[in-house]
Structure formats: C-alpha cells, structure tokens
C-alpha cells in the first residue's frame, strides 16, 4: 500500500507499506542519494517470512515531495516522527542506511525513540561522516566539498562515480544502471543540501541517548562511511552489537545480502 504522509503543510513524504498485516514491523530509511527501493533485496526476503516492511522516501528523494529546504537532520528526523504517528506504528524496528542511519540516531535522541523498540544501523554516517578535531576517522571535508561541486557541475557523472565506490562485490551493468537511476530520481537541490548537511551535522551526544537494543552492520571495506565509524557507534551506544561484514563495502545490503538479511531478521525476532 502506498501513502503520501503530510510532514509539513506543503510537504508530503512517500511511504510504501509492504505486508501491512505482518507480525513485526521494520521501517527502512534509505541512504543518500537513493530511495526506499534500494532495500528491495530485503523486502523480497523478509516479507515471505511474515515481516511488515515499510519503505519511506526522505523528502527530496524518490517519490516524496522535493521542497527547497528542510534537509538538516532535525527536520528529517521530524519527518520520521510524522510517519510513525500518522501510521500509528508501535514497537517497531527502525533501520537506516548511511545518512538514513544518522537520521535515525537523531530521531532516537530528539524524539526519545517514540514508537521504536529496536534500532538497526547499516553503514551509518555517524557520529560524523567527516573528520573533526578529536575524531580522525571519517572522510575529509575536501572529499565532501568535491562531491558538492561535482553535483553542481555534472550530477549524472557524480552519481556514476559514487556508484563505483559503493559496492565491494562486482555488480552487473544492469544493476549499476538501476542503482544510478535511484539517484537521478532525487532533486538536484536536495542531493546538494544533504551533502552540505554532512559538513555541519554531528551525533556524538546523540549516541548516548539511544536507549533501545541496537544492531550495527558495517562493511570493513566501506569507502564512504569508513569502518571506524561503526566502532565509534558501538562504543557510544549502550546495548549495541556490532557485526562486521568482511566482504562488503558501503552497499552491504547487496554485497552480502544473505548475511545481511539473516542478521537483521534474527535481531528483529
């Protein structure tokens, strides 16, 4: 079932509710610059097992409205709250990939984990995507600035280049084209705005506010959100479990999808 849920008076976010009568609910938050369709290899595995899978497109991406503003983590977390309230979701697992993972952490801290009983982080861009004083583990500020400038100059080429960094395992050319199209469905301005948010957003204090069991899945070959970020998440979140993926990059949901699906379903219960 498809819904457009009002996040602000003039902004609606898209939600795809797969298997609404499923026994346990997982709300998936995608990473930049894709949309909820990136999790199709999870939906195909989890739904037959009886899970309810809800895919949400963040504002500016996929089928959601694409306003010119509202791309800081607070607003994106507030959009998740709007979806959880509108759909009356309770006792769910909230899962997020990359930037989506960072936003789910902000949600847990900002909204006290409303409606969420478990958190799952997939290659999450937390506690900071970029290096900062006292935190030398992220990408460089210059790398992000280059992505921003490349988006202004030639967004399709930027997406192609980013796609080449994304997966550790070799993917087919048709799969690469499909993934490329997910990025093109976003607005150029939202693609740029979220990239700029990486430079400003920190989640060091948010980690300690996560009060639910947390699963951290992260590829050791990740070139986007480097593996030490996962270690920092594990150290900062009480009652968390870190599972390294030895044969995965940033796209661990596809690189090692069988292991990914097995670990996630075991965690959700």
């Amino acid at each position: 079932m498809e819904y457009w849920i009002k996040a602000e008076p003039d902004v609606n976010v898209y939600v795809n509710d797969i298997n609404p009568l499923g026994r346990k609910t997982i709300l998936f938050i995608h990473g930049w610059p894709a949309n909820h369709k990136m999790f199709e290899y999870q939906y195909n595995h989890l739904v037959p097992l009886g899970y309810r899978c809800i895919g949400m497109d963040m504002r500016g991406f996929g089928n959601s409205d694409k306003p010119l503003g509202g791309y800081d983590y607070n607003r994106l977390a507030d959009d998740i709250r709007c979806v959880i309230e509108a759909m009356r979701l309770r006792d769910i697992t909230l899962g997020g990939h990359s930037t989506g993972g960072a936003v789910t952490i902000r949600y847990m801290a900002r909204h006290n984990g409303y409606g969420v009983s478990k958190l799952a982080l997939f290659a999450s861009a937390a506690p900071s995507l970029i290096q900062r004083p006292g935190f030398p583990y992220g990408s460089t500020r210059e790398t992000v600035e280059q992505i921003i400038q490349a988006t202004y100059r030639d967004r399709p080429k930027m997406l192609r280049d980013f796609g080449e960094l994304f997966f550790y395992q070799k993917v087919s050319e048709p799969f690469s084209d499909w993934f490329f199209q997910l990025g093109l469905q976003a607005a150029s301005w939202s693609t740029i705005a979220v990239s700029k948010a990486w430079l400003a957003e920190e989640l060091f204090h948010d980690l300690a506010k996560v009060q639910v069991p947390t699963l951290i899945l992260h590829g050791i070959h990740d070139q986007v959100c480097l593996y030490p970020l996962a270690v920092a998440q594990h150290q900062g979140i009480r009652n968390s479990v870190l599972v390294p993926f030895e044969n995965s990059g940033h796209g661990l949901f596809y690189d090692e999808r069988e292991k990914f699906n097995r670990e996630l379903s075991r965690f959700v219960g």
Side-chain angles (χ1 to χ4, degrees), residues 5-183:
I5 292 174
K6 190 173 294 296
E8 291 184 292
D10 57 347
V11 179
N12 296 300
V13 295
Y14 172 86
V15 172
N16 189 10
D17 188 358
I18 308 169
N19 193 26
L21 299 180
R23 57 188 178 87
K24 292 192 176 181
T25 300
I26 310 169
L27 174 58
F28 289 92
I29 310 298
H30 63 86
W32 176 98
N35 55 61
H36 82 281
K37 292 180 180 178
M38 68 182 289
F39 293 113
E40 74 168 64
Y41 295 91
Q42 282 60 63
Y43 306 149
N44 290 342
H45 176 81
L46 295 168
V47 169
L49 296 178
Y51 293 97
R52 179 187 187 186
C53 294
I54 303 175
M56 170 184 167
D57 287 348
M58 289 194 290
R59 65 169 60 203
F61 298 85
N63 293 324
S64 288
D65 286 347
K66 299 172 175 61
L68 294 179
Y71 296 101
D72 61 281
Y73 287 3
N74 284 349
R75 181 62 254 181
L76 296 174
D78 292 350
D79 290 352
I80 295 175
R81 175 65 181 256
C82 292
V83 168
I84 290 177
E85 283 192 343
M87 300 184 71
R88 300 180 181 178
L89 302 178
R90 298 293 182 272
D91 192 31
I92 70 168
T93 297
L94 179 61
H97 177 262
S98 193
T99 301
V103 173
T104 64
I105 293 171
R106 176 59 51 81
Y107 175 83
M108 299 302 292
R110 183 172 170 84
H111 294 282
N112 197 29
Y114 177 84
V116 177
S117 60
K118 294 182 179 180
L119 179 66
L121 303 173
F122 320 133
S124 180
S128 172
L129 179 68
I130 65 168
Q131 300 170 9
R132 299 185 188 278
F135 188 77
Y137 305 113
S139 298
T140 65
R141 176 176 291 269
E142 290 72 24
T143 297
V144 173
E145 290 173 344
Q146 288 170 7
I147 289 173
I148 294 169
Q149 291 306 312
T151 308
Y152 278 117
R153 183 172 59 251
D154 186 340
R155 185 165 68 106
K157 184 177 186 304
M158 182 280 294
L159 291 172
R160 282 291 190 195
D161 292 343
F162 185 71
E164 292 179 2
L165 294 175
F166 208 90
F167 299 100
Y168 180 67
Q169 302 289 341
K170 182 175 177 59
V171 299
S172 69
E173 186 173 343
F175 182 94
S176 179
D177 289 341
W178 169 78
F179 192 73
F180 171 69
Q181 291 297 325
L182 297 186

